[in-house]
Amino acid sequence: MLISGAGIAGLTLAYWLRRRGFEPVVVERAPHGRLGGYGVDFFGSGYDVAARMGILDRLTPHRLPVDAVEFVDASGRSSARLPAELLERVIRGPHLPLMHTTLEGALLDAVDGEVEIRFADSVADVRDTGGAVEVAFAGGGRERFDLLVGADGIHSRTRELVFGPESRFVHPLGTRLASYPVPDRYGWGRVRAHYTEPGRQTVLYPSGEPGTLVALLLFRAPRGGGVPREQRAGLLRERFAGAGWLTPALLADAPAGDSIFMDEMAQVMMPVWHRGRVALIGDACGCMTMVSAQGVSMAMAGAYALAEALAEEPGHERAFARYEARMRPEVRRRQRNALLFARMLLPSGRAGLAVQGLANRIITRQAFAPVLRRQFGAGSVLPPATTRGR
């Protein structure tokens, strides 16, 4: 079986397939894995899967040192604060904020020596013959596999080859985000700070590495499409010209070259996640956007569910259908919640900004924990673990 993509979904799937007796092969176009320099909120289903994999001991020491989320004004004064205690009430379960890099590194270690990973290559063409999948690789050569799973993210090449062009399934939300490391010379401490102006937002939080913070910038961008790496720093300076708080200093600290992660905020919605001997998992079929705070967890849950179905069902058709029936309703529910929140993330004018500020002050009170729980709190979608399922 071939897995296209060595990200979180692909590596999790490879691990569980190997545990179930399969011999997966993973192909990844990046030379050393797709390690992203941004933070993720790790809880619910993903935390459950990680526990069953036995990798929590590797992850826990790298917990991001964030004691609170604060919403600040241009002078840095806090207008609303979400402390760790309230966040625990919202999630009602284990919560582990991590850098994406940390999680992917732990997953790579978990499959090291057990799964073949071909870096610096990718799927170039796919032909489902009915009895197998013939795959041509960008680096040359053609091979046959029993099944192909596309775990290659929101801009999935596998999805494009098998299901159709990206424009049919990827729905941009009119917002672009960028993330990069900056030196820790701002004295901001153990806080994730959000500063919002009409149409743009600056976020700063600890990276877990001494002397380094992470800057996250979001801005309205009605026109989609990729931005070449060499143009990203310039685009940020253009879109955030005149912005307040620490934004000018963070822009001055933006790295040159290809160290700025940038993408458009979008959701992926498809009528079906599998066709013939090909299936999709993670962002390739159900991207929820980062504002859902659950994309990583659901990618890991989907990988676990697919591996379980392939091991227990008599054929791939039934396995694919079982996996999709379990995961699609959960993904769709989270997409709806994320879409509602994304619409309020970047107010277009001063009036909207004032409404957002009032909402922040209200929902960060203890009494409103149930409201936040409906938006972000999510228990595990996995069934109770059995001896076989571990």
Side-chain angles (χ1 to χ4, degrees), residues 18 21 24 27 33 38 63 118 233-234 237 255 306 326 366 371:
R18 190 72 182 87
V27 62
Y38 52 94
R63 179 189 185 97
R118 305 175 186 177
R237 293 188 180 100
L306 178 55
R326 173 186 289 184
Q366 293 284 340
V371 177

Side-chain angles (χ1 to χ4, degrees), residues 42-52 56 60 94-96 297 300:
F42 195 49
F43 60 95
S45 304
Y47 192 98
D48 193 354
V49 174
R52 299 183 190 194
L56 288 179
T60 303
H95 172 235
L96 191 60
S297 284
M300 294 183 73

Side-chain angles (χ1 to χ4, degrees), residues 38 174-180 201 215-221 227 232 235-236 240 260-266 289-291 345-346:
Y38 52 94
T175 299
R176 195 175 294 276
L177 61 93
S179 179
Y180 54 87
Q201 183 176 126
L216 173 67
L217 289 86
L218 303 98
F219 57 97
R220 288 190 175 275
V227 177
R232 293 175 183 178
L235 177 62
L236 290 176
F240 284 84
I260 298 178
F261 170 83
M262 182 178 286
D263 204 350
E264 60 184 343
M265 193 178 294
T289 75
M290 62 170 289
V291 297
L345 185 64
L346 297 178

Side-chain angles (χ1 to χ4, degrees), residues 1-20:
M1 180 186 308
L2 180 65
I3 301 171
S4 175
I8 288 172
L11 292 173
T12 304
L13 178 62
Y15 174 90
W16 288 109
L17 287 175
R18 190 72 182 87
R19 290 291 300 272
R20 297 285 194 163

Side-chain angles (χ1 to χ4, degrees), residues 231 320 323:
Q231 297 178 18
F320 287 169
Y323 144 73

Side-chain angles (χ1 to χ4, degrees), residues 73 103 111 157 267 275 314 327 334:
D73 62 18
L103 181 55
V111 301
R157 175 64 170 159
Q267 292 189 338
R275 176 172 294 170
M327 297 303 302
R334 288 160 175 77

Side-chain angles (χ1 to χ4, degrees), residues 203-219:
V203 184
L204 186 66
Y205 58 91
S207 71
E209 294 292 330
T212 304
L213 302 173
V214 177
L216 173 67
L217 289 86
L218 303 98
F219 57 97

